[in-house]
Amino acid sequence: MTNTSTHRVAVVTGGSRGIGREVALRLAADGFAVVVGYAGRTDAAQDTVAAAEAAAEAAGAGGSAIPAQADVADKRAVAGMFDAAEAEFGGVDVVVHAAGRMPLSTVADLDLAVLDELYRTNIRGTFVVAQQAARRLRRGGSLITFSTSILGLALPRYGPYAASKGAVEGLTLILARELRGRDVTVNAVAPGPTATDLFLHGKDEQTIARLAAQPPLERLGTPADIAGVVAFLASPAGHWVNGQNIRVNGGIV
């Protein structure tokens, strides 16, 4: 078991790829013991665990990591993920809920079965993870959820995704107020266009170039850009930020 007197503990859902993976690596480098939550790709999760431990070693931080498989919408599986964190590391200080789906469709053409799957992961999944976080986070802890800057951009074909993330924002800001007296912060991070497999999938080079040109900084975000903000919110330096939705998008909106 990791020495909990010197290590804080983070649970990161969606930790096997994209932004979630980068968050797991950053938190490990910052000295956290990290539980890498994942849905199905055991090989990717194990690769993230190895990379997180390498990042911790390179930083001299002494962080460590373990994988934990869980469908975020399954309350028993998510409870098991938190149980694993407590059994291995002694408790949970930070929860980063990065798991999500992003199907693209116009409202008129959306298959409602796809909508149901989207809401199951993005809304129910957020609620299930937030519920465990609310019950188990130690004093001084943080829950960080993920919204999207698409809510401000209002781009066509993002309607279903934006609707699900609007629900995430509402839940996040209310939970921050419900945890009064617990010394636990609850914030949402809302990335803009970010160069992940999830975002780049199905887009041609012209579309990617157009989106990259929109922010005043004239580039796509990177997973490391987002992970830096998450790491700040998870740190003592960020603990006075609470009940906020933070758009991390290079000034696009």
Side-chain angles (χ1 to χ4, degrees):
M1 179 180 292
T2 295
N3 183 347
T4 56
S5 66
T6 58
H7 288 271
R8 300 179 76 212
V9 181
V11 172
V12 181
T13 70
S16 64
R17 61 178 184 156
I19 292 171
R21 173 186 166 91
E22 194 67 30
V23 168
L25 269 57
R26 172 61 187 269
L27 293 181
D30 286 351
F32 279 82
V34 181
V35 176
V36 177
Y38 70 102
R41 288 285 306 279
T42 300
D43 57 337
Q46 291 174 336
D47 182 71
T48 300
V49 166
E53 293 187 334
E57 183 176 358
S64 57
I66 61 170
Q69 187 172 14
D71 171 358
V72 293
D74 183 331
K75 66 178 184 180
R76 290 185 179 85
V78 171
M81 181 170 58
F82 279 76
D83 290 343
E86 292 174 348
E88 185 72 17
F89 300 123
V92 179
D93 301 289
V94 170
V95 175
V96 182
H97 180 49
R101 295 175 180 263
M102 192 174 66
L104 301 182
S105 173
T106 63
V107 172
D109 296 330
L110 180 66
D111 182 338
L112 292 182
V114 173
L115 182 69
D116 290 343
E117 292 175 359
L118 171 68
Y119 277 24
R120 184 177 188 278
T121 298
N122 289 10
I123 298 180
R124 179 185 167 94
T126 300
F127 198 98
V128 170
V129 172
Q131 193 170 61
Q132 288 295 319
R135 294 170 179 172
R136 304 211 203 190
L137 278 168
R138 296 188 284 206
R139 293 189 66 84
S142 301
L143 167 63
I144 298 130
T145 65
F146 273 78
S147 182
T148 176
S149 289
I150 292 296
L151 286 170
L153 292 169
L155 296 177
R157 302 186 70 234
Y158 283 87
Y161 180 67
S164 72
K165 291 301 187 176
V168 170
E169 279 193 24
L171 170 63
T172 300
L173 304 189
I174 289 171
L175 181 57
R177 288 146 181 84
E178 290 182 347
L179 295 185
R180 175 183 290 273
R182 286 277 306 279
D183 191 27
V184 168
T185 64
V186 186
N187 293 288
V189 170
T194 304
T196 65
D197 290 343
L198 182 67
F199 173 77
L200 296 173
H201 179 72
K203 294 182 176 68
D204 59 32
E205 291 185 9
Q206 183 178 6
T207 299
I208 293 169
R210 176 175 54 79
L211 292 170
Q214 285 184 315
L217 297 179
E218 295 186 323
R219 66 172 176 84
L220 294 177
T222 68
D225 291 327
I226 312 306
V229 175
V230 171
F232 170 71
L233 293 172
S235 74
H239 202 63
W240 192 236
V241 181
N242 189 28
Q244 304 299 314
N245 179 58
I246 301 172
R247 289 180 174 173
V248 187
N249 57 32
I252 195 170
V253 289

